[in-house]
Coordinates of all heavy atoms in Angstrom, one line a residue:
M1 N 117.1 90.3 122.9 CA 117.1 90.2 121.4 C 115.8 91.0 120.9 O 114.8 90.9 121.5 CB 117.0 88.8 121.1 CG 117.1 88.6 119.6 SD 116.9 86.8 119.1 CE 118.5 86.2 119.8
E2 N 116.0 91.9 120.0 CA 115.0 92.6 119.3 C 114.0 91.8 118.5 O 114.6 91.1 117.6 CB 115.6 93.8 118.5 CG 116.5 94.8 119.4 CD 115.8 95.7 120.2 OE1 114.7 96.3 119.6 OE2 116.0 95.8 121.4
Q3 N 112.8 91.9 118.9 CA 111.8 91.0 118.1 C 110.6 91.9 117.7 O 110.2 92.7 118.6 CB 111.3 89.9 118.9 CG 112.4 88.8 119.2 CD 112.8 88.0 118.1 OE1 112.1 88.1 117.0 NE2 113.8 87.2 118.4
P4 N 110.1 91.8 116.4 CA 109.1 92.6 116.0 C 107.7 92.2 116.6 O 107.5 90.9 116.8 CB 109.0 92.5 114.5 CG 109.9 91.3 114.2 CD 110.8 91.1 115.4
I5 N 106.9 93.1 116.9 CA 105.5 92.8 117.4 C 104.6 92.3 116.3 O 104.6 92.9 115.1 CB 104.9 94.1 118.0 CG1 105.7 94.6 119.2 CG2 103.4 93.8 118.4 CD1 105.2 96.0 119.6
I6 N 103.9 91.2 116.5 CA 103.1 90.7 115.4 C 101.6 90.7 115.8 O 100.7 90.5 115.0 CB 103.5 89.3 115.0 CG1 103.4 88.3 116.1 CG2 104.9 89.3 114.3 CD1 103.6 86.8 115.7
G7 N 101.3 91.0 117.0 CA 99.9 91.1 117.4 C 99.8 91.4 118.9 O 100.8 91.6 119.6
Y8 N 98.6 91.4 119.5 CA 98.3 91.8 120.8 C 97.2 91.0 121.4 O 96.3 90.5 120.6 CB 97.9 93.4 121.0 CG 98.9 94.3 120.3 CD1 98.7 94.7 119.0 CD2 99.9 95.0 121.1 CE1 99.7 95.7 118.5 CE2 100.8 95.7 120.6 CZ 100.6 96.1 119.3 OH 101.5 97.0 118.7
H9 N 97.2 90.8 122.7 CA 96.0 90.3 123.3 C 96.0 90.9 124.8 O 96.9 91.5 125.2 CB 95.9 88.9 123.4 CG 96.9 88.2 124.1 ND1 98.1 87.7 123.5 CD2 97.0 87.9 125.4 CE1 98.8 87.1 124.5 NE2 98.3 87.1 125.6
K10 N 94.8 90.8 125.5 CA 94.8 91.3 126.9 C 94.9 90.0 127.7 O 94.4 89.0 127.4 CB 93.5 92.0 127.1 CG 93.6 93.4 126.7 CD 92.4 94.2 127.2 CE 92.6 95.7 127.3 NZ 91.4 96.4 127.7
D11 N 95.5 90.2 128.8 CA 95.6 89.1 129.9 C 94.4 89.2 130.8 O 93.6 89.9 130.7 CB 96.9 89.1 130.6 CG 97.1 90.3 131.5 OD1 96.2 91.0 131.6 OD2 98.2 90.3 132.1
E12 N 94.5 88.3 131.8 CA 93.4 88.2 132.7 C 93.2 89.3 133.5 O 92.1 89.6 134.1 CB 93.4 86.9 133.5 CG 94.5 86.7 134.4 CD 95.8 86.1 133.7 OE1 95.8 86.1 132.4 OE2 96.7 85.8 134.5
D13 N 94.2 90.1 133.7 CA 94.2 91.4 134.5 C 93.9 92.6 133.6 O 94.0 93.7 134.1 CB 95.5 91.6 135.1 CG 95.8 90.5 136.2 OD1 95.0 90.1 136.9 OD2 97.0 90.1 136.2
D14 N 93.5 92.4 132.3 CA 93.1 93.4 131.5 C 94.3 94.3 131.1 O 94.1 95.4 130.8 CB 92.0 94.3 132.0 CG 91.0 94.8 131.1 OD1 90.8 94.0 130.1 OD2 90.5 95.8 131.2
D15 N 95.5 93.7 131.1 CA 96.7 94.3 130.7 C 97.1 93.9 129.3 O 96.8 92.8 128.9 CB 97.9 94.0 131.6 CG 97.9 94.7 133.0 OD1 97.5 95.9 133.0 OD2 98.2 94.1 133.9
W16 N 97.6 94.8 128.5 CA 97.8 94.5 127.1 C 99.2 93.7 127.0 O 100.2 94.0 127.8 CB 98.0 95.8 126.2 CG 96.7 96.2 125.8 CD1 96.0 97.4 126.3 CD2 95.8 95.7 124.9 NE1 94.9 97.5 125.7 CE2 94.7 96.5 124.7 CE3 96.0 94.5 124.0 CZ2 93.6 96.2 123.9 CZ3 95.0 94.3 123.1 CH2 93.7 95.1 123.1
V17 N 99.1 92.7 126.2 CA 100.4 91.8 126.0 C 100.6 91.9 124.5 O 99.7 91.7 123.6 CB 100.0 90.3 126.4 CG1 101.2 89.6 126.2 CG2 99.7 90.3 127.8
A18 N 102.0 92.1 124.2 CA 102.3 92.1 122.8 C 102.9 90.8 122.5 O 103.5 90.1 123.3 CB 103.5 93.1 122.6
E19 N 102.4 90.2 121.3 CA 102.9 89.0 120.7 C 104.0 89.3 119.9 O 104.0 90.0 118.9 CB 101.8 88.2 120.0 CG 100.6 88.0 121.0 CD 99.2 87.7 120.2 OE1 99.3 87.5 119.0 OE2 98.3 87.6 120.9
L20 N 105.2 88.6 120.2 CA 106.4 89.0 119.4 C 106.6 87.7 118.4 O 106.2 86.6 118.5 CB 107.6 89.0 120.3 CG 107.5 90.1 121.3 CD1 108.7 90.2 122.2 CD2 107.2 91.5 120.8
Q21 N 107.5 88.1 117.3 CA 107.6 87.2 116.2 C 108.4 85.9 116.6 O 108.2 84.8 116.1 CB 108.4 87.8 115.1 CG 108.3 87.1 113.7 CD 108.8 87.9 112.6 OE1 109.9 88.3 112.5 NE2 107.9 88.4 111.9
C22 N 109.1 86.0 117.7 CA 109.8 84.8 118.2 C 109.0 83.8 119.0 O 109.3 82.7 119.4 CB 110.9 85.3 119.1 SG 110.3 86.4 120.5
G23 N 107.6 84.3 119.3 CA 106.8 83.3 119.9 C 106.6 83.6 121.4 O 106.1 82.8 122.2
H24 N 107.1 84.8 121.8 CA 107.0 85.1 123.2 C 106.0 86.2 123.4 O 105.9 87.1 122.5 CB 108.4 85.6 123.7 CG 109.5 84.5 123.9 ND1 110.7 84.6 123.4 CD2 109.3 83.4 124.5 CE1 111.4 83.5 123.7 NE2 110.6 82.7 124.4
N25 N 105.4 86.3 124.6 CA 104.5 87.4 124.9 C 105.3 88.3 125.8 O 106.1 87.9 126.6 CB 103.3 86.9 125.8 CG 102.4 86.0 124.9 OD1 102.3 86.2 123.8 ND2 101.8 85.0 125.5
Q26 N 105.0 89.6 125.7 CA 105.6 90.7 126.5 C 104.5 91.6 126.9 O 103.8 92.1 126.1 CB 106.7 91.3 125.8 CG 107.5 92.3 126.8 CD 108.7 92.8 126.3 OE1 109.1 94.0 126.3 NE2 109.6 91.9 125.6
H27 N 104.5 92.0 128.3 CA 103.4 93.0 128.7 C 103.9 94.3 128.2 O 105.2 94.6 128.1 CB 103.4 93.0 130.2 CG 102.5 92.0 130.8 ND1 102.9 90.9 131.4 CD2 101.1 92.0 130.9 CE1 101.8 90.2 131.7 NE2 100.7 90.8 131.4
V28 N 102.9 95.1 127.7 CA 103.1 96.4 127.3 C 102.1 97.3 128.1 O 101.1 97.7 127.6 CB 102.9 96.6 125.8 CG1 104.3 96.2 125.0 CG2 101.8 95.8 125.2
R29 N 102.6 97.5 129.3 CA 101.5 98.1 130.2 C 101.6 99.6 130.1 O 102.7 100.2 130.0 CB 101.7 97.7 131.7 CG 101.5 96.2 132.1 CD 101.5 96.1 133.5 NE 101.2 94.7 133.8 CZ 102.1 93.8 134.1 NH1 103.4 94.1 133.9 NH2 101.8 92.6 134.3
H30 N 100.5 100.3 130.2 CA 100.5 101.8 130.4 C 100.1 102.0 131.8 O 99.0 101.9 132.3 CB 99.6 102.4 129.4 CG 99.4 103.9 129.5 ND1 100.6 104.7 129.4 CD2 98.4 104.8 129.8 CE1 100.3 106.0 129.7 NE2 99.0 106.0 129.8
N31 N 101.1 102.3 132.6 CA 100.9 102.4 134.1 C 101.6 103.5 134.6 O 102.6 103.5 135.3 CB 101.4 101.1 134.7 CG 101.0 101.0 136.2 OD1 100.2 101.6 136.7 ND2 101.9 100.3 136.9
P32 N 101.1 104.8 134.3 CA 101.8 106.0 134.8 C 101.8 106.2 136.4 O 101.0 105.6 137.0 CB 100.9 107.2 134.2 CG 99.6 106.6 133.9 CD 99.9 105.1 133.7
P33 N 102.9 106.7 136.8 CA 104.0 107.4 136.2 C 105.3 106.4 136.0 O 106.2 107.0 135.4 CB 104.3 108.5 137.2 CG 104.2 107.9 138.5 CD 103.0 106.9 138.3
W34 N 105.0 105.2 136.2 CA 106.2 104.3 136.0 C 106.4 103.8 134.5 O 107.5 103.8 134.2 CB 106.0 103.0 137.0 CG 106.0 103.5 138.4 CD1 107.0 103.9 139.1 CD2 104.7 103.7 139.2 NE1 106.5 104.2 140.4 CE2 105.2 104.1 140.5 CE3 103.5 103.4 138.8 CZ2 104.2 104.3 141.4 CZ3 102.5 103.7 139.9 CH2 102.8 104.1 141.2
M35 N 105.3 103.4 134.0 CA 105.4 102.8 132.6 C 104.5 103.7 131.7 O 103.3 103.8 132.0 CB 104.8 101.5 132.6 CG 105.8 100.6 133.3 SD 107.2 100.1 132.5 CE 106.9 98.4 132.1
L36 N 105.2 104.4 130.7 CA 104.4 105.4 130.0 C 104.3 104.8 128.5 O 105.2 104.9 127.7 CB 105.0 106.8 129.9 CG 105.0 107.4 131.2 CD1 105.7 108.8 131.0 CD2 103.5 107.8 131.6
R37 N 103.2 104.1 128.3 CA 103.0 103.6 126.8 C 101.5 104.0 126.4 O 100.7 103.1 126.3 CB 103.1 102.1 126.9 CG 104.6 101.7 127.2 CD 104.7 100.2 126.7 NE 106.0 99.6 126.9 CZ 106.4 98.9 128.0 NH1 105.4 98.7 128.9 NH2 107.4 98.5 128.0
P38 N 101.3 105.3 126.3 CA 99.9 105.7 126.0 C 99.4 105.1 124.7 O 98.1 105.0 124.4 CB 100.0 107.2 125.9 CG 101.5 107.4 125.8 CD 102.2 106.5 126.5
W39 N 100.4 104.7 123.7 CA 100.0 104.2 122.5 C 99.2 102.9 122.6 O 98.5 102.6 121.8 CB 101.2 104.0 121.6 CG 102.3 103.2 122.2 CD1 103.3 103.7 123.0 CD2 102.4 101.8 122.1 NE1 104.1 102.5 123.4 CE2 103.5 101.4 122.9 CE3 101.6 100.8 121.4 CZ2 104.0 100.0 123.0 CZ3 102.1 99.4 121.7 CH2 103.2 99.1 122.2
V40 N 99.5 102.2 123.7 CA 98.9 100.8 123.9 C 97.4 100.9 124.3 O 96.7 99.9 124.1 CB 99.7 100.1 124.9 CG1 99.2 100.3 126.3 CG2 99.5 98.5 124.6
T41 N 97.0 102.1 124.6 CA 95.6 102.2 125.1 C 94.6 102.5 123.8 O 93.4 102.4 124.1 CB 95.5 103.3 126.0 OG1 95.8 104.5 125.4 CG2 96.3 103.2 127.3
T42 N 95.1 102.7 122.6 CA 94.3 102.9 121.6 C 94.6 101.9 120.4 O 95.8 101.4 120.2 CB 94.5 104.3 121.0 OG1 95.7 104.5 120.4 CG2 94.2 105.4 122.1
E43 N 93.6 101.5 119.6 CA 93.7 100.6 118.7 C 94.6 101.2 117.6 O 95.5 100.4 117.0 CB 92.3 100.4 118.0 CG 92.3 99.6 116.7 CD 91.6 98.4 116.6 OE1 90.6 98.3 117.2 OE2 92.1 97.5 115.9
K44 N 94.5 102.4 117.3 CA 95.4 103.2 116.4 C 96.9 103.1 116.8 O 97.7 102.8 116.0 CB 95.0 104.6 116.2 CG 95.5 105.3 115.1 CD 94.8 106.5 114.8 CE 95.5 107.6 113.9 NZ 96.2 108.6 114.6
G45 N 97.1 103.3 118.1 CA 98.4 103.3 118.6 C 99.0 101.9 118.6 O 100.2 101.8 118.2
R46 N 98.2 100.9 118.9 CA 98.7 99.6 118.8 C 99.1 99.1 117.4 O 100.0 98.5 117.1 CB 97.8 98.6 119.4 CG 97.5 98.7 120.9 CD 96.8 97.6 121.5 NE 95.5 97.5 121.0 CZ 94.4 98.4 121.4 NH1 94.6 99.1 122.4 NH2 93.2 98.2 120.9
K47 N 98.2 99.5 116.5 CA 98.4 99.2 115.1 C 99.7 99.8 114.6 O 100.5 99.2 113.7 CB 97.3 99.6 114.2 CG 96.2 98.5 114.0 CD 95.2 98.8 113.0 CE 94.2 97.8 112.9 NZ 92.9 98.4 112.3
S48 N 100.0 101.1 115.0 CA 101.1 101.8 114.5 C 102.4 101.2 115.0 O 103.5 101.4 114.5 CB 101.0 103.3 114.9 OG 101.4 103.4 116.4
R49 N 102.2 100.4 116.1 CA 103.5 99.6 116.6 C 103.7 98.3 116.0 O 104.7 97.6 116.4 CB 103.5 99.6 118.1 CG 103.5 101.0 118.7 CD 104.8 101.7 118.6 NE 104.9 103.0 119.1 CZ 105.6 103.4 120.2 NH1 106.5 102.7 120.8 NH2 105.5 104.6 120.6
L50 N 102.7 97.7 115.3 CA 102.9 96.5 114.7 C 104.2 96.5 113.7 O 104.4 97.4 112.9 CB 101.7 96.1 113.8 CG 100.5 95.5 114.5 CD1 99.4 95.3 113.6 CD2 100.9 94.2 115.3
G51 N 105.1 95.5 113.9 CA 106.3 95.4 113.3 C 107.4 96.1 114.0 O 108.6 95.9 113.5
K52 N 107.1 96.9 114.9 CA 108.2 97.6 115.7 C 108.9 96.6 116.7 O 108.0 95.7 117.1 CB 107.7 98.8 116.4 CG 107.0 99.9 115.5 CD 108.2 100.9 115.1 CE 107.8 101.8 114.0 NZ 106.5 102.5 114.2
E53 N 110.1 96.7 116.8 CA 110.8 95.8 117.8 C 110.7 96.1 119.2 O 110.8 97.3 119.6 CB 112.2 95.7 117.3 CG 112.3 95.1 115.8 CD 113.6 94.9 115.4 OE1 114.6 95.5 115.9 OE2 113.7 94.0 114.5
L54 N 110.6 95.1 120.0 CA 110.8 95.2 121.6 C 111.9 94.3 121.8 O 112.2 93.3 121.1 CB 109.6 94.6 122.1 CG 108.2 95.5 122.2 CD1 107.2 94.8 122.9 CD2 108.6 96.9 122.9
N55 N 112.5 94.7 122.9 CA 113.7 93.8 123.4 C 113.0 92.6 124.2 O 112.5 92.9 125.2 CB 114.6 94.6 124.3 CG 115.9 93.9 124.7 OD1 116.3 93.0 124.0 ND2 116.4 94.4 125.9
C56 N 113.3 91.4 123.6 CA 112.7 90.3 124.3 C 113.7 89.6 125.2 O 114.7 89.0 124.8 CB 112.3 89.3 123.2 SG 111.4 87.9 123.8
K57 N 113.4 89.8 126.5 CA 114.3 89.1 127.5 C 114.2 87.6 127.5 O 115.1 87.1 128.0 CB 114.1 89.8 128.9 CG 114.4 91.3 128.9 CD 114.4 91.8 130.4 CE 114.6 93.2 130.4 NZ 113.6 94.1 130.0
K58 N 113.0 87.1 127.1 CA 112.8 85.8 127.2 C 113.7 85.1 126.0 O 114.3 84.0 126.4 CB 111.3 85.4 126.9 CG 110.4 85.7 128.0 CD 109.0 85.4 127.7 CE 107.9 85.8 128.8 NZ 106.6 85.5 128.5
C59 N 113.9 85.7 125.0 CA 114.9 85.1 124.1 C 116.3 85.1 124.6 O 116.9 84.1 124.4 CB 114.9 86.2 122.7 SG 113.6 85.6 121.6
D60 N 116.6 86.1 125.3 CA 118.0 86.2 125.8 C 118.2 85.2 126.9 O 119.3 84.6 127.2 CB 118.2 87.6 126.6 CG 118.2 88.7 125.6 OD1 118.5 88.4 124.3 OD2 118.0 89.9 126.1
R61 N 117.1 84.6 127.5 CA 117.2 83.6 128.5 C 116.9 82.3 127.9 O 116.8 81.2 128.7 CB 116.2 84.0 129.7 CG 116.6 85.2 130.5 CD 115.9 85.2 131.8 NE 114.4 85.4 131.6 CZ 113.8 86.4 131.7 NH1 114.4 87.6 132.2 NH2 112.5 86.6 131.5
N62 N 116.6 82.1 126.6 CA 116.3 81.0 125.9 C 115.1 80.3 126.6 O 115.0 79.1 126.7 CB 117.5 79.9 126.0 CG 118.5 80.2 125.0 OD1 118.1 80.4 123.8 ND2 119.7 80.3 125.3
E63 N 114.1 81.1 126.9 CA 112.8 80.5 127.3 C 111.9 79.9 126.3 O 112.1 80.4 125.2 CB 112.0 81.6 128.0 CG 112.8 82.1 129.4 CD 111.9 82.9 130.3 OE1 110.6 83.0 130.1 OE2 112.5 83.7 131.1
P64 N 111.3 78.9 126.7 CA 110.3 78.2 125.7 C 109.3 79.2 125.2 O 108.9 80.2 125.9 CB 109.7 77.1 126.4 CG 109.9 77.4 127.8 CD 111.1 78.2 128.0
Q65 N 108.8 79.0 123.9 CA 107.8 79.9 123.4 C 106.5 79.9 124.1 O 106.1 78.9 124.7 CB 107.6 79.4 121.9 CG 108.7 79.8 121.0 CD 108.4 79.3 119.5 OE1 107.9 78.2 119.3 NE2 108.6 80.1 118.6
D66 N 105.8 81.1 124.1 CA 104.5 81.1 124.7 C 103.4 80.7 123.8 O 102.4 80.4 124.3 CB 104.3 82.6 125.2 CG 105.3 83.0 126.3 OD1 105.5 82.3 127.3 OD2 105.9 84.2 126.2
F67 N 103.7 80.9 122.6 CA 102.7 80.4 121.6 C 103.6 80.2 120.2 O 104.7 80.5 120.2 CB 101.7 81.6 121.3 CG 102.2 82.9 120.6 CD1 102.3 83.2 119.3 CD2 102.9 83.8 121.5 CE1 102.8 84.3 118.8 CE2 103.4 84.9 121.0 CZ 103.3 85.2 119.5
I68 N 102.9 79.6 119.3 CA 103.5 79.3 118.1 C 103.1 80.4 117.1 O 102.0 80.5 116.7 CB 103.0 77.9 117.5 CG1 103.3 76.6 118.5 CG2 103.8 77.6 116.1 CD1 104.7 76.6 118.9
P69 N 104.2 81.1 116.6 CA 103.8 82.3 115.7 C 103.2 81.8 114.4 O 103.7 80.7 113.8 CB 105.1 83.1 115.6 CG 106.1 82.3 116.4 CD 105.6 81.1 116.8
R70 N 102.1 82.4 114.0 CA 101.6 82.2 112.7 C 102.3 82.8 111.6 O 103.0 83.9 111.9 CB 100.1 82.4 112.7 CG 99.7 83.8 113.0 CD 98.3 83.8 113.4 NE 98.1 84.6 114.5 CZ 98.1 86.0 114.5 NH1 98.5 86.7 113.4 NH2 97.8 86.8 115.6
C71 N 102.3 82.3 110.4 CA 102.9 82.9 109.2 C 102.3 84.2 108.9 O 101.0 84.4 108.9 CB 102.8 82.0 108.0 SG 103.8 82.6 106.7
Q72 N 103.2 85.2 108.7 CA 102.6 86.6 108.5 C 102.6 87.0 107.0 O 102.0 88.0 106.7 CB 103.5 87.6 109.2 CG 103.4 87.5 110.7 CD 102.1 87.9 111.3 OE1 101.6 88.9 111.1 NE2 101.4 86.9 111.9
E73 N 102.9 86.1 106.2 CA 103.0 86.5 104.8 C 101.6 86.4 104.1 O 100.8 85.7 104.5 CB 103.8 85.5 103.9 CG 105.3 85.5 104.2 CD 105.9 86.8 104.9 OE1 105.7 87.8 104.4 OE2 106.6 86.7 106.0
Ligands
ZN101 ZN1 111.4 86.1 122.3

C-alpha cells in the first residue's frame, strides 16, 4: 500500500528509516550499488521527499504499527 512519508529517524546501525503515515517504519538505505537513494543522505533530499509515497509492505501484511502517527495538521 502506498503511504506518504511523514518523518525520518536513524536506527542503531546509522541507517535512515522513513516514518510512514500508516505508523510503519521503512528503511530507506543508500547502499550503492544495490540501493541507490542518494537523496536520503542530505537533509534537503529528505525534506524534499516528505509527503512522497513509499510502498508499505507492512500494510499489505497487516502488521501492527511501529509507532503511533502524530497529527500532521
Ligand atoms: Zn504501513
Side-chain angles (χ1 to χ4, degrees):
M1 187 179 290
E2 298 286 311
Q3 295 288 351
I5 300 172
I6 60 171
Y8 304 91
H9 65 266
K10 275 187 160 181
D11 72 3
E12 61 273 16
D13 295 322
D14 220 31
D15 285 321
W16 281 104
V17 176
E19 299 161 5
L20 305 179
Q21 198 162 68
C22 54
H24 288 131
N25 293 326
Q26 184 170 137
H27 273 106
V28 279
R29 291 192 182 91
H30 180 53
N31 185 22
W34 300 282
M35 295 286 244
L36 293 177
R37 292 199 183 95
W39 56 269
V40 85
T41 61
T42 66
E43 166 122 40
K44 191 162 167 263
R46 289 190 299 278
K47 269 192 183 154
S48 76
R49 295 290 176 121
L50 278 175
K52 296 269 167 53
E53 294 187 332
L54 286 180
N55 187 23
C56 185
K57 296 192 179 75
K58 292 181 179 176
C59 275
D60 295 339
R61 293 195 295 256
N62 278 317
E63 291 191 16
Q65 286 178 312
D66 296 313
F67 65 97
I68 306 298
R70 50 198 144 69
C71 186
Q72 293 296 300
E73 297 336 306

